[in-house]
Amino acid sequence: MENLQAELAQARQESTKQAEKIAAYKTHRQQLHRELRRTQTFKEQSKQETYSLQEKLQELSSLVQHWQQLHLDSEQILALREEKLVVFKVEPSFLKEELSKLLQSNNLTAPALHDSAELLPPGGRATRATSSRTRSSTKQSKD
């Protein structure tokens, strides 16, 4: 009987140990379950943030392309304006040279040219009256 009581005591002791182990496993399992939920929540938030950042990246890429195109357009416009500026800078010299050649070919003198310039209206275009006066003053200077 003593043997049975000793076995019973030992069985109860093992049962208590097993119950403690089961309780510890349950507690550990609950902790793991909470950690799994936190990880899943974090994973879902990360997915949403990744999606949001990808959308933002796409928007920024579109803006970059837009600004690059505007920059290229601006460079082209600037190049065209610079070409026009060069022409505008060269054109007065060319016109003076052509006027000088014209004057030499018509044997006009500087005073006759000066007189005819005074007869021109402010716009610089000769009217019929100023043209005829210019012609008559040119004939007088030739004589």
Side-chain angles (χ1 to χ4, degrees):
M1 189 94 150
E2 272 181 36
N3 210 6
L4 284 175
Q5 285 182 347
E7 284 181 28
L8 182 61
Q10 189 178 4
R12 285 184 180 160
Q13 215 176 15
E14 283 183 30
S15 176
T16 304
K17 285 182 183 178
Q18 291 298 325
E20 289 173 359
K21 282 185 180 180
I22 290 172
Y25 284 134
K26 282 183 179 181
T27 303
H28 186 64
R29 189 183 69 160
Q30 288 173 348
Q31 288 174 346
L32 288 175
H33 188 66
R34 284 191 294 266
E35 190 175 323
L36 177 63
R37 277 194 236 141
R38 277 192 299 255
T39 303
Q40 288 173 336
T41 302
F42 178 76
K43 180 182 175 184
E44 186 60 35
Q45 289 172 345
S46 294
K47 278 183 182 180
Q48 290 173 355
E49 188 176 336
T50 300
Y51 180 75
S52 174
L53 290 173
Q54 285 174 338
E55 285 182 335
K56 182 84 170 175
L57 179 62
Q58 183 62 38
E59 288 175 24
L60 291 174
S61 294
S62 296
L63 281 174
V64 165
Q65 286 178 334
H66 174 73
W67 286 108
Q68 284 176 334
Q69 188 60 47
L70 284 177
H71 177 70
L72 290 175
D73 293 346
S74 296
E75 283 183 335
Q76 290 173 348
I77 290 170
L78 181 60
L80 289 173
R81 287 184 179 170
E82 286 175 350
E83 287 176 19
K84 286 181 180 180
L85 181 60
V86 168
V87 169
F88 288 143
K89 286 181 178 180
V90 171
E91 191 172 25
S93 305
F94 173 75
L95 291 175
K96 285 179 184 177
E97 188 178 315
E98 290 297 311
L99 181 60
S100 175
K101 288 178 186 177
L102 183 64
L103 291 175
Q104 287 175 358
S105 68
N106 290 333
N107 289 328
L108 291 176
T109 61
L113 176 63
H114 183 28
D115 292 342
S116 66
E118 287 178 357
L119 297 174
L120 293 177
R125 293 184 179 210
T127 61
R128 287 186 184 175
T130 57
S131 295
S132 62
R133 276 186 264 156
T134 306
R135 276 187 239 118
S136 64
S137 68
T138 313
K139 286 180 186 176
Q140 289 172 358
S141 64
K142 285 183 183 178
D143 295 338

